[in-house]
Amino acid sequence: MNKCDLANSVKLSLDQYFKDLDGEPPHAIYEMVLGCIEKPLLEYTLQYAGGNQSKAAEILGLNRNTLRKKIQQYNIE
């Protein structure tokens, strides 16, 4: 999988989302998309790092405190 595969998956999902709206106005899709992508990204990276938050933060390119805030935000154990 490369970067384009992920972008294409997001585009396809958004295409389906807008079709499913069936004329209803979209609302807060930015937060919706980030929430759908960010939580599994954090969970997977933490698992990959063996639960080591410092290592996961480094892999993600985040400050460790930022990662901790996001862990709390998404109720990740």
Side-chain angles (χ1 to χ4, degrees), residues 40-55:
L41 172 65
L42 297 173
E43 290 173 331
Y44 186 91
T45 306
L46 280 164
Q47 182 181 2
Y48 180 83
N52 184 318
Q53 292 181 5
S54 295
K55 186 175 178 180

Side-chain angles (χ1 to χ4, degrees), residues 15-47:
D15 282 343
Q16 188 62 51
Y17 172 78
F18 282 104
K19 286 177 189 172
D20 290 345
L21 285 176
D22 196 32
E24 292 294 317
H27 179 72
I29 63 169
Y30 181 79
E31 288 296 322
M32 178 191 72
V33 170
L34 284 184
C36 288
I37 294 172
E38 193 170 37
K39 184 177 180 181
L41 172 65
L42 297 173
E43 290 173 331
Y44 186 91
T45 306
L46 280 164
Q47 182 181 2

Side-chain angles (χ1 to χ4, degrees), residues 6 32 39-40 48 57 61 69 73 76:
L6 183 56
M32 178 191 72
K39 184 177 180 181
Y48 180 83
K69 286 179 190 176
Q73 175 185 348
I76 298 172

